[in-house]
Amino acid sequence: MAPRFETARFHSESGPTSLFTRVRHILREPARLKAHGAHVIERLQQRNAPVEELTAFDPYLWELISADVRTDTGRWVKSTWRVPADGRDWWVVIGLGNVLVTVIQVDPWRRGKGERVITEGPLYAHVEHVNQNLMSS
């Protein structure tokens, strides 16, 4: 099933600043992530993931890596966070409503700055503008 909308990825180190300010504002409180749905449950089992640790979100201890936005609206839809758990490094992808989208075990050196990350251009400017407006309203 194809997604209902296209998304674009931005990295916390290259911005836009307003997008990451907004993500940190929305996800500012520790929370229990909801791990529902066949996909995420299957991934947790396949990857022998420490479920209790990876669903105990803490923005003070977890590192924000990237954020994905809808290309049409410029609004945030999911973010990826790095957390050490069970002696391994994990990327935990969190969607709207504190929903766990997936977990990926990663090497400690991995930074998430692949070619998909947008660092400039019209979409970058649009996302910056949209999120500035959302944060000031």
Side-chain angles (χ1 to χ4, degrees):
M1 187 164 102
R4 296 180 305 279
F5 45 80
E6 290 203 15
T7 61
R9 179 164 298 148
F10 297 85
H11 195 279
S12 62
E13 292 177 18
S14 54
T17 303
S18 64
L19 170 61
F20 291 94
T21 300
R22 182 160 162 72
V23 171
R24 285 185 178 97
H25 174 73
I26 293 168
L27 296 172
R28 66 187 176 274
E29 299 291 331
R32 176 63 59 186
L33 301 177
K34 299 173 203 121
H36 304 302
H39 170 81
V40 73
I41 291 167
E42 186 179 332
R43 291 298 173 271
L44 288 164
Q45 291 170 344
Q46 284 175 341
R47 295 168 180 165
N48 194 26
V51 177
E52 279 302 307
E53 292 165 273
L54 299 183
T55 56
F57 173 69
D58 189 336
Y60 303 104
L61 301 176
W62 293 26
E63 177 191 1
L64 179 55
I65 300 293
S66 65
D68 289 26
V69 303
R70 287 178 58 146
T71 56
D72 57 346
T73 64
R75 293 176 77 128
W76 170 76
V77 292
K78 64 184 178 182
S79 55
T80 301
W81 300 73
R82 177 189 300 272
V83 60
D86 193 34
R88 299 175 279 172
D89 275 31
W90 295 89
W91 282 353
V92 177
V93 181
I94 303 171
L96 299 172
N98 292 337
V99 171
L100 182 64
V101 176
T102 196
V103 298
I104 305 158
Q105 185 181 338
V106 294
D107 291 317
W109 51 263
R110 194 157 164 205
R111 302 307 314 153
K113 294 183 183 176
E115 71 275 351
R116 283 194 56 215
V117 172
I118 296 181
T119 58
E120 61 186 3
L123 182 58
Y124 186 100
H126 175 65
V127 169
E128 177 76 273
H129 177 74
V130 165
N131 285 280
Q132 280 174 343
N133 288 344
L134 287 167
M135 286 308 293
S136 64
S137 60

